[in-house]
Amino acid sequence: MKTLIAIAKPVSWASLLLIVVPPLLNFNGSIDSSLMNQLLLAGTVIWFVTASLWMKSE
């Protein structure tokens, strides 16, 4: 279980980048809205799954 927590914690923090960076790239004009929405959805799902694994242990 400690191995799973050790993996889930950095993955959950990295998934927060998928929630913060795409809107900035969309604002900059680097990506379009549909790609931004897909990345936001992926980041949200990944965060909820991985954060629930390590937060319930603390």
Side-chain angles (χ1 to χ4, degrees):
M1 186 69 171
K2 286 206 176 254
T3 305
L4 182 61
I5 293 170
I7 294 170
K9 207 168 198 177
V11 170
S12 67
W13 286 107
S15 70
L16 288 177
L17 291 175
L18 282 176
I19 298 171
V20 173
V21 173
L24 297 173
L25 292 174
N26 185 22
F27 181 73
N28 190 25
S30 300
I31 62 173
D32 61 343
S33 294
S34 64
L35 179 58
M36 178 191 71
N37 290 336
Q38 291 172 357
L39 292 172
L40 287 172
L41 179 62
T44 302
V45 170
I46 293 168
W47 187 84
F48 272 108
V49 170
T50 57
S52 66
L53 292 173
W54 65 268
M55 284 184 152
K56 71 178 178 183
S57 69
E58 291 184 359

Short mmCIF file of all heavy atoms in Angstrom, two decimals:
data_model
loop_
_atom_site.label_atom_id
_atom_site.label_comp_id
_atom_site.label_asym_id
_atom_site.label_seq_id
_atom_site.Cartn_x
_atom_site.Cartn_y
_atom_site.Cartn_z
N MET A 1 0.83 -1.21 0.00
CA MET A 1 0.00 0.00 0.00
C MET A 1 0.87 1.26 0.00
O MET A 1 0.49 2.25 -0.60
CB MET A 1 -0.92 -0.06 1.22
CG MET A 1 -1.92 1.05 1.26
SD MET A 1 -3.14 0.85 -0.03
CE MET A 1 -4.29 2.08 0.39
N LYS A 2 2.02 1.21 0.68
CA LYS A 2 2.89 2.39 0.71
C LYS A 2 3.42 2.71 -0.68
O LYS A 2 3.63 3.87 -0.99
CB LYS A 2 4.04 2.17 1.69
CG LYS A 2 3.60 2.25 3.13
CD LYS A 2 4.77 2.66 3.98
CE LYS A 2 4.32 2.83 5.40
NZ LYS A 2 4.23 4.21 5.78
N THR A 3 3.66 1.68 -1.49
CA THR A 3 4.13 1.91 -2.85
C THR A 3 3.07 2.63 -3.67
O THR A 3 3.37 3.55 -4.43
CB THR A 3 4.50 0.58 -3.53
OG1 THR A 3 5.43 -0.11 -2.71
CG2 THR A 3 5.08 0.81 -4.90
N LEU A 4 1.82 2.21 -3.49
CA LEU A 4 0.72 2.85 -4.21
C LEU A 4 0.59 4.32 -3.81
O LEU A 4 0.41 5.19 -4.66
CB LEU A 4 -0.58 2.11 -3.94
CG LEU A 4 -1.83 2.62 -4.65
CD1 LEU A 4 -1.65 2.52 -6.16
CD2 LEU A 4 -3.03 1.85 -4.20
N ILE A 5 0.73 4.59 -2.53
CA ILE A 5 0.66 5.97 -2.05
C ILE A 5 1.84 6.77 -2.56
O ILE A 5 1.69 7.93 -2.95
CB ILE A 5 0.58 5.99 -0.51
CG1 ILE A 5 -0.74 5.39 -0.05
CG2 ILE A 5 0.74 7.40 0.03
CD1 ILE A 5 -0.82 5.14 1.43
N ALA A 6 3.01 6.15 -2.59
CA ALA A 6 4.21 6.84 -3.09
C ALA A 6 4.08 7.20 -4.56
O ALA A 6 4.64 8.20 -5.01
CB ALA A 6 5.44 5.98 -2.86
N ILE A 7 3.34 6.41 -5.31
CA ILE A 7 3.12 6.70 -6.73
C ILE A 7 1.97 7.68 -6.91
O ILE A 7 2.03 8.58 -7.75
CB ILE A 7 2.86 5.39 -7.51
CG1 ILE A 7 4.11 4.51 -7.51
CG2 ILE A 7 2.40 5.68 -8.93
CD1 ILE A 7 3.88 3.12 -8.04
N ALA A 8 0.90 7.51 -6.12
CA ALA A 8 -0.30 8.32 -6.30
C ALA A 8 -0.09 9.78 -5.95
O ALA A 8 -0.67 10.66 -6.58
CB ALA A 8 -1.44 7.74 -5.47
N LYS A 9 0.74 10.05 -4.95
CA LYS A 9 0.93 11.43 -4.51
C LYS A 9 1.54 12.32 -5.60
O LYS A 9 0.97 13.36 -5.93
CB LYS A 9 1.77 11.45 -3.24
CG LYS A 9 1.50 12.62 -2.36
CD LYS A 9 2.14 12.42 -1.00
CE LYS A 9 1.53 13.36 -0.01
NZ LYS A 9 2.04 13.17 1.33
N PRO A 10 2.68 11.94 -6.19
CA PRO A 10 3.22 12.81 -7.25
C PRO A 10 2.34 12.85 -8.51
O PRO A 10 2.29 13.88 -9.18
CB PRO A 10 4.59 12.22 -7.57
CG PRO A 10 4.71 10.97 -6.82
CD PRO A 10 3.60 10.86 -5.86
N VAL A 11 1.64 11.75 -8.80
CA VAL A 11 0.75 11.75 -9.96
C VAL A 11 -0.40 12.74 -9.73
O VAL A 11 -0.79 13.47 -10.64
CB VAL A 11 0.23 10.34 -10.26
CG1 VAL A 11 -0.88 10.36 -11.30
CG2 VAL A 11 1.36 9.44 -10.72
N SER A 12 -0.92 12.78 -8.51
CA SER A 12 -2.01 13.72 -8.23
C SER A 12 -1.53 15.15 -8.31
O SER A 12 -2.25 16.02 -8.82
CB SER A 12 -2.64 13.42 -6.87
OG SER A 12 -1.75 13.70 -5.82
N TRP A 13 -0.33 15.43 -7.82
CA TRP A 13 0.20 16.79 -7.93
C TRP A 13 0.47 17.16 -9.39
O TRP A 13 0.21 18.29 -9.80
CB TRP A 13 1.46 16.96 -7.10
CG TRP A 13 1.18 17.03 -5.64
CD1 TRP A 13 1.42 16.06 -4.71
CD2 TRP A 13 0.58 18.12 -4.93
NE1 TRP A 13 1.01 16.49 -3.48
CE2 TRP A 13 0.50 17.74 -3.57
CE3 TRP A 13 0.10 19.36 -5.31
CZ2 TRP A 13 -0.05 18.59 -2.60
CZ3 TRP A 13 -0.44 20.19 -4.35
CH2 TRP A 13 -0.50 19.81 -3.01
N ALA A 14 0.96 16.21 -10.16
CA ALA A 14 1.22 16.48 -11.59
C ALA A 14 -0.09 16.69 -12.34
O ALA A 14 -0.15 17.49 -13.29
CB ALA A 14 2.00 15.33 -12.20
N SER A 15 -1.14 16.00 -11.92
CA SER A 15 -2.43 16.18 -12.60
C SER A 15 -2.99 17.58 -12.37
O SER A 15 -3.78 18.07 -13.18
CB SER A 15 -3.44 15.13 -12.15
OG SER A 15 -3.83 15.35 -10.81
N LEU A 16 -2.58 18.21 -11.29
CA LEU A 16 -3.02 19.59 -11.07
C LEU A 16 -2.45 20.53 -12.14
O LEU A 16 -3.06 21.55 -12.45
CB LEU A 16 -2.61 20.07 -9.68
CG LEU A 16 -3.40 19.45 -8.53
CD1 LEU A 16 -2.86 19.94 -7.20
CD2 LEU A 16 -4.87 19.76 -8.64
N LEU A 17 -1.32 20.15 -12.71
CA LEU A 17 -0.78 20.92 -13.83
C LEU A 17 -1.72 20.86 -15.03
O LEU A 17 -1.82 21.82 -15.80
CB LEU A 17 0.61 20.43 -14.22
CG LEU A 17 1.71 20.70 -13.21
CD1 LEU A 17 3.01 20.04 -13.66
CD2 LEU A 17 1.91 22.19 -13.02
N LEU A 18 -2.42 19.71 -15.19
CA LEU A 18 -3.39 19.59 -16.28
C LEU A 18 -4.62 20.45 -16.04
O LEU A 18 -5.43 20.65 -16.94
CB LEU A 18 -3.82 18.13 -16.46
CG LEU A 18 -2.85 17.22 -17.18
CD1 LEU A 18 -3.38 15.79 -17.18
CD2 LEU A 18 -2.61 17.69 -18.60
N ILE A 19 -4.77 20.94 -14.83
CA ILE A 19 -5.90 21.81 -14.52
C ILE A 19 -5.50 23.28 -14.61
O ILE A 19 -6.31 24.13 -14.92
CB ILE A 19 -6.46 21.45 -13.12
CG1 ILE A 19 -6.97 20.02 -13.14
CG2 ILE A 19 -7.55 22.41 -12.69
CD1 ILE A 19 -7.35 19.47 -11.78
N VAL A 20 -4.23 23.57 -14.39
CA VAL A 20 -3.78 24.97 -14.36
C VAL A 20 -3.21 25.42 -15.71
O VAL A 20 -3.50 26.53 -16.17
CB VAL A 20 -2.72 25.16 -13.25
CG1 VAL A 20 -2.11 26.53 -13.29
CG2 VAL A 20 -3.34 24.88 -11.88
N VAL A 21 -2.43 24.58 -16.36
CA VAL A 21 -1.70 25.00 -17.56
C VAL A 21 -2.58 25.17 -18.80
O VAL A 21 -2.42 26.16 -19.53
CB VAL A 21 -0.52 24.03 -17.83
CG1 VAL A 21 0.16 24.33 -19.15
CG2 VAL A 21 0.49 24.11 -16.68
N PRO A 22 -3.52 24.25 -19.11
CA PRO A 22 -4.31 24.41 -20.34
C PRO A 22 -5.07 25.73 -20.46
O PRO A 22 -5.10 26.31 -21.55
CB PRO A 22 -5.24 23.21 -20.33
CG PRO A 22 -4.49 22.18 -19.58
CD PRO A 22 -3.77 22.93 -18.51
N PRO A 23 -5.70 26.25 -19.39
CA PRO A 23 -6.35 27.56 -19.56
C PRO A 23 -5.36 28.67 -19.91
O PRO A 23 -5.68 29.58 -20.68
CB PRO A 23 -7.01 27.82 -18.21
CG PRO A 23 -7.22 26.48 -17.63
CD PRO A 23 -6.06 25.66 -18.09
N LEU A 24 -4.16 28.58 -19.36
CA LEU A 24 -3.14 29.58 -19.69
C LEU A 24 -2.72 29.46 -21.16
O LEU A 24 -2.55 30.48 -21.84
CB LEU A 24 -1.92 29.42 -18.78
CG LEU A 24 -2.17 29.66 -17.29
CD1 LEU A 24 -0.93 29.31 -16.50
CD2 LEU A 24 -2.61 31.08 -17.03
N LEU A 25 -2.58 28.22 -21.63
CA LEU A 25 -2.22 28.02 -23.04
C LEU A 25 -3.35 28.45 -23.97
O LEU A 25 -3.10 28.99 -25.05
CB LEU A 25 -1.87 26.55 -23.28
CG LEU A 25 -0.59 26.04 -22.63
CD1 LEU A 25 -0.44 24.54 -22.85
CD2 LEU A 25 0.61 26.79 -23.15
N ASN A 26 -4.58 28.24 -23.54
CA ASN A 26 -5.73 28.69 -24.35
C ASN A 26 -5.78 30.21 -24.40
O ASN A 26 -6.04 30.80 -25.45
CB ASN A 26 -7.02 28.11 -23.78
CG ASN A 26 -8.22 28.43 -24.63
OD1 ASN A 26 -8.10 28.70 -25.81
ND2 ASN A 26 -9.38 28.39 -24.03
N PHE A 27 -5.54 30.83 -23.28
CA PHE A 27 -5.53 32.30 -23.24
C PHE A 27 -4.43 32.85 -24.14
O PHE A 27 -4.61 33.87 -24.79
CB PHE A 27 -5.33 32.77 -21.80
CG PHE A 27 -5.32 34.25 -21.64
CD1 PHE A 27 -6.48 34.99 -21.76
CD2 PHE A 27 -4.13 34.93 -21.40
CE1 PHE A 27 -6.48 36.37 -21.63
CE2 PHE A 27 -4.10 36.30 -21.26
CZ PHE A 27 -5.28 37.03 -21.37
N ASN A 28 -3.30 32.15 -24.17
CA ASN A 28 -2.16 32.55 -25.00
C ASN A 28 -2.41 32.28 -26.48
O ASN A 28 -1.73 32.83 -27.34
CB ASN A 28 -0.91 31.80 -24.52
CG ASN A 28 0.35 32.31 -25.14
OD1 ASN A 28 0.43 33.45 -25.55
ND2 ASN A 28 1.35 31.45 -25.20
N GLY A 29 -3.38 31.40 -26.77
CA GLY A 29 -3.66 31.06 -28.16
C GLY A 29 -2.90 29.85 -28.66
O GLY A 29 -2.93 29.55 -29.85
N SER A 30 -2.23 29.14 -27.77
CA SER A 30 -1.43 27.98 -28.17
C SER A 30 -2.28 26.75 -28.44
O SER A 30 -1.91 25.90 -29.25
CB SER A 30 -0.40 27.64 -27.09
OG SER A 30 0.47 28.74 -26.90
N ILE A 31 -3.39 26.61 -27.73
CA ILE A 31 -4.28 25.46 -27.93
C ILE A 31 -5.72 25.97 -28.07
O ILE A 31 -6.04 27.07 -27.63
CB ILE A 31 -4.18 24.43 -26.79
CG1 ILE A 31 -4.61 25.03 -25.45
CG2 ILE A 31 -2.80 23.83 -26.70
CD1 ILE A 31 -4.70 24.01 -24.32
N ASP A 32 -6.57 25.15 -28.69
CA ASP A 32 -7.97 25.55 -28.85
C ASP A 32 -8.80 25.08 -27.65
O ASP A 32 -8.34 24.33 -26.80
CB ASP A 32 -8.54 25.05 -30.17
CG ASP A 32 -8.54 23.54 -30.27
OD1 ASP A 32 -7.84 22.89 -29.50
OD2 ASP A 32 -9.26 23.02 -31.14
N SER A 33 -10.03 25.52 -27.61
CA SER A 33 -10.90 25.26 -26.46
C SER A 33 -11.22 23.78 -26.29
O SER A 33 -11.32 23.30 -25.16
CB SER A 33 -12.20 26.03 -26.61
OG SER A 33 -11.95 27.40 -26.53
N SER A 34 -11.39 23.05 -27.37
CA SER A 34 -11.74 21.64 -27.24
C SER A 34 -10.60 20.84 -26.61
O SER A 34 -10.85 19.98 -25.76
CB SER A 34 -12.14 21.04 -28.58
OG SER A 34 -11.05 21.05 -29.47
N LEU A 35 -9.37 21.12 -27.01
CA LEU A 35 -8.23 20.45 -26.39
C LEU A 35 -8.10 20.85 -24.93
O LEU A 35 -7.81 20.02 -24.07
CB LEU A 35 -6.94 20.76 -27.15
CG LEU A 35 -5.66 20.15 -26.59
CD1 LEU A 35 -5.77 18.63 -26.53
CD2 LEU A 35 -4.46 20.57 -27.43
N MET A 36 -8.32 22.11 -24.63
CA MET A 36 -8.26 22.57 -23.25
C MET A 36 -9.29 21.82 -22.41
O MET A 36 -8.98 21.35 -21.31
CB MET A 36 -8.53 24.07 -23.16
CG MET A 36 -8.52 24.59 -21.73
SD MET A 36 -9.13 26.28 -21.54
CE MET A 36 -10.86 26.07 -21.86
N ASN A 37 -10.52 21.68 -22.91
CA ASN A 37 -11.56 20.99 -22.17
C ASN A 37 -11.20 19.52 -21.93
O ASN A 37 -11.45 18.98 -20.86
CB ASN A 37 -12.89 21.09 -22.89
CG ASN A 37 -13.45 22.49 -22.85
OD1 ASN A 37 -13.11 23.27 -21.96
ND2 ASN A 37 -14.29 22.82 -23.80
N GLN A 38 -10.61 18.88 -22.92
CA GLN A 38 -10.21 17.48 -22.76
C GLN A 38 -9.12 17.34 -21.71
O GLN A 38 -9.15 16.41 -20.89
CB GLN A 38 -9.74 16.91 -24.10
CG GLN A 38 -10.83 16.75 -25.11
CD GLN A 38 -10.30 16.38 -26.48
OE1 GLN A 38 -9.10 16.29 -26.70
NE2 GLN A 38 -11.22 16.17 -27.43
N LEU A 39 -8.15 18.24 -21.72
CA LEU A 39 -7.08 18.19 -20.74
C LEU A 39 -7.59 18.49 -19.33
O LEU A 39 -7.16 17.87 -18.35
CB LEU A 39 -5.96 19.16 -21.12
CG LEU A 39 -5.18 18.81 -22.38
CD1 LEU A 39 -4.23 19.94 -22.76
CD2 LEU A 39 -4.42 17.51 -22.20
N LEU A 40 -8.52 19.43 -19.22
CA LEU A 40 -9.11 19.74 -17.92
C LEU A 40 -9.89 18.54 -17.38
O LEU A 40 -9.80 18.22 -16.18
CB LEU A 40 -10.03 20.95 -18.02
CG LEU A 40 -9.36 22.31 -18.18
CD1 LEU A 40 -10.39 23.38 -18.48
CD2 LEU A 40 -8.57 22.66 -16.95
N LEU A 41 -10.63 17.87 -18.23
CA LEU A 41 -11.38 16.69 -17.80
C LEU A 41 -10.43 15.58 -17.36
O LEU A 41 -10.62 14.96 -16.32
CB LEU A 41 -12.30 16.20 -18.92
CG LEU A 41 -13.11 14.96 -18.61
CD1 LEU A 41 -14.06 15.22 -17.44
CD2 LEU A 41 -13.88 14.52 -19.84
N ALA A 42 -9.39 15.34 -18.15
CA ALA A 42 -8.41 14.30 -17.79
C ALA A 42 -7.73 14.64 -16.46
O ALA A 42 -7.59 13.77 -15.60
CB ALA A 42 -7.38 14.16 -18.90
N GLY A 43 -7.31 15.87 -16.29
CA GLY A 43 -6.66 16.27 -15.06
C GLY A 43 -7.57 16.13 -13.85
O GLY A 43 -7.14 15.69 -12.78
N THR A 44 -8.84 16.46 -14.02
CA THR A 44 -9.80 16.36 -12.92
C THR A 44 -10.02 14.91 -12.52
O THR A 44 -10.00 14.56 -11.34
CB THR A 44 -11.13 17.01 -13.31
OG1 THR A 44 -10.90 18.38 -13.66
CG2 THR A 44 -12.13 16.93 -12.19
N VAL A 45 -10.23 14.05 -13.50
CA VAL A 45 -10.46 12.63 -13.22
C VAL A 45 -9.23 12.00 -12.57
O VAL A 45 -9.34 11.29 -11.56
CB VAL A 45 -10.86 11.87 -14.51
CG1 VAL A 45 -10.86 10.37 -14.29
CG2 VAL A 45 -12.21 12.34 -15.00
N ILE A 46 -8.06 12.28 -13.12
CA ILE A 46 -6.83 11.72 -12.55
C ILE A 46 -6.63 12.22 -11.13
O ILE A 46 -6.25 11.46 -10.24
CB ILE A 46 -5.61 12.06 -13.44
CG1 ILE A 46 -5.72 11.35 -14.78
CG2 ILE A 46 -4.31 11.69 -12.76
CD1 ILE A 46 -4.74 11.83 -15.82
N TRP A 47 -6.89 13.49 -10.89
CA TRP A 47 -6.69 14.03 -9.55
C TRP A 47 -7.63 13.38 -8.55
O TRP A 47 -7.21 12.99 -7.46
CB TRP A 47 -6.88 15.54 -9.53
CG TRP A 47 -6.52 16.09 -8.20
CD1 TRP A 47 -5.28 16.42 -7.77
CD2 TRP A 47 -7.42 16.36 -7.11
NE1 TRP A 47 -5.35 16.88 -6.46
CE2 TRP A 47 -6.65 16.84 -6.04
CE3 TRP A 47 -8.78 16.22 -6.95
CZ2 TRP A 47 -7.20 17.21 -4.83
CZ3 TRP A 47 -9.34 16.58 -5.73
CH2 TRP A 47 -8.55 17.06 -4.69
N PHE A 48 -8.92 13.25 -8.90
CA PHE A 48 -9.87 12.66 -7.96
C PHE A 48 -9.52 11.20 -7.65
O PHE A 48 -9.66 10.76 -6.51
CB PHE A 48 -11.31 12.75 -8.48
CG PHE A 48 -11.98 14.03 -8.11
CD1 PHE A 48 -12.23 15.00 -9.05
CD2 PHE A 48 -12.36 14.27 -6.80
CE1 PHE A 48 -12.85 16.19 -8.70
CE2 PHE A 48 -12.98 15.46 -6.43
CZ PHE A 48 -13.22 16.42 -7.39
N VAL A 49 -9.06 10.45 -8.63
CA VAL A 49 -8.71 9.06 -8.38
C VAL A 49 -7.45 8.95 -7.53
O VAL A 49 -7.42 8.24 -6.52
CB VAL A 49 -8.53 8.30 -9.73
CG1 VAL A 49 -7.93 6.93 -9.50
CG2 VAL A 49 -9.87 8.20 -10.44
N THR A 50 -6.41 9.66 -7.91
CA THR A 50 -5.14 9.51 -7.20
C THR A 50 -5.13 10.21 -5.85
O THR A 50 -4.55 9.69 -4.89
CB THR A 50 -3.96 10.02 -8.06
OG1 THR A 50 -4.19 11.39 -8.42
CG2 THR A 50 -3.80 9.18 -9.31
N ALA A 51 -5.74 11.36 -5.74
CA ALA A 51 -5.76 12.07 -4.46
C ALA A 51 -6.57 11.31 -3.43
O ALA A 51 -6.23 11.31 -2.24
CB ALA A 51 -6.28 13.48 -4.64
N SER A 52 -7.63 10.65 -3.86
CA SER A 52 -8.42 9.88 -2.89
C SER A 52 -7.63 8.71 -2.34
O SER A 52 -7.88 8.26 -1.22
CB SER A 52 -9.72 9.41 -3.53
OG SER A 52 -9.46 8.49 -4.57
N LEU A 53 -6.67 8.20 -3.10
CA LEU A 53 -5.85 7.08 -2.61
C LEU A 53 -4.93 7.51 -1.48
O LEU A 53 -4.79 6.80 -0.49
CB LEU A 53 -5.03 6.49 -3.76
CG LEU A 53 -5.80 5.78 -4.84
CD1 LEU A 53 -4.88 5.40 -5.99
CD2 LEU A 53 -6.49 4.55 -4.28
N TRP A 54 -4.27 8.65 -1.62
CA TRP A 54 -3.32 9.02 -0.58
C TRP A 54 -3.93 9.89 0.50
O TRP A 54 -3.45 9.92 1.63
CB TRP A 54 -2.06 9.67 -1.15
CG TRP A 54 -2.21 10.98 -1.84
CD1 TRP A 54 -2.42 11.18 -3.17
CD2 TRP A 54 -2.13 12.27 -1.26
NE1 TRP A 54 -2.49 12.51 -3.45
CE2 TRP A 54 -2.31 13.22 -2.29
CE3 TRP A 54 -1.94 12.74 0.04
CZ2 TRP A 54 -2.30 14.59 -2.06
CZ3 TRP A 54 -1.92 14.11 0.26
CH2 TRP A 54 -2.10 15.01 -0.79
N MET A 55 -5.01 10.60 0.23
CA MET A 55 -5.62 11.44 1.26
C MET A 55 -6.36 10.61 2.31
O MET A 55 -6.44 11.02 3.46
CB MET A 55 -6.56 12.46 0.65
CG MET A 55 -5.86 13.59 0.00
SD MET A 55 -7.05 14.80 -0.57
CE MET A 55 -6.06 16.25 -0.51
N LYS A 56 -6.90 9.47 1.91
CA LYS A 56 -7.62 8.67 2.91
C LYS A 56 -6.65 8.03 3.90
O LYS A 56 -7.06 7.63 4.98
CB LYS A 56 -8.48 7.62 2.24
CG LYS A 56 -7.74 6.48 1.59
CD LYS A 56 -8.71 5.48 1.00
CE LYS A 56 -7.93 4.36 0.31
NZ LYS A 56 -8.83 3.43 -0.32
N SER A 57 -5.38 7.94 3.56
CA SER A 57 -4.40 7.34 4.47
C SER A 57 -3.86 8.34 5.48
O SER A 57 -3.25 7.98 6.46
CB SER A 57 -3.24 6.74 3.68
OG SER A 57 -2.47 7.77 3.09
N GLU A 58 -4.08 9.63 5.23
CA GLU A 58 -3.54 10.65 6.16
C GLU A 58 -4.56 11.08 7.17
O GLU A 58 -5.70 10.99 7.07
CB GLU A 58 -3.04 11.85 5.38
CG GLU A 58 -1.81 11.55 4.59
CD GLU A 58 -1.22 12.76 3.88
OE1 GLU A 58 -1.79 13.87 3.99
OE2 GLU A 58 -0.19 12.59 3.26
#
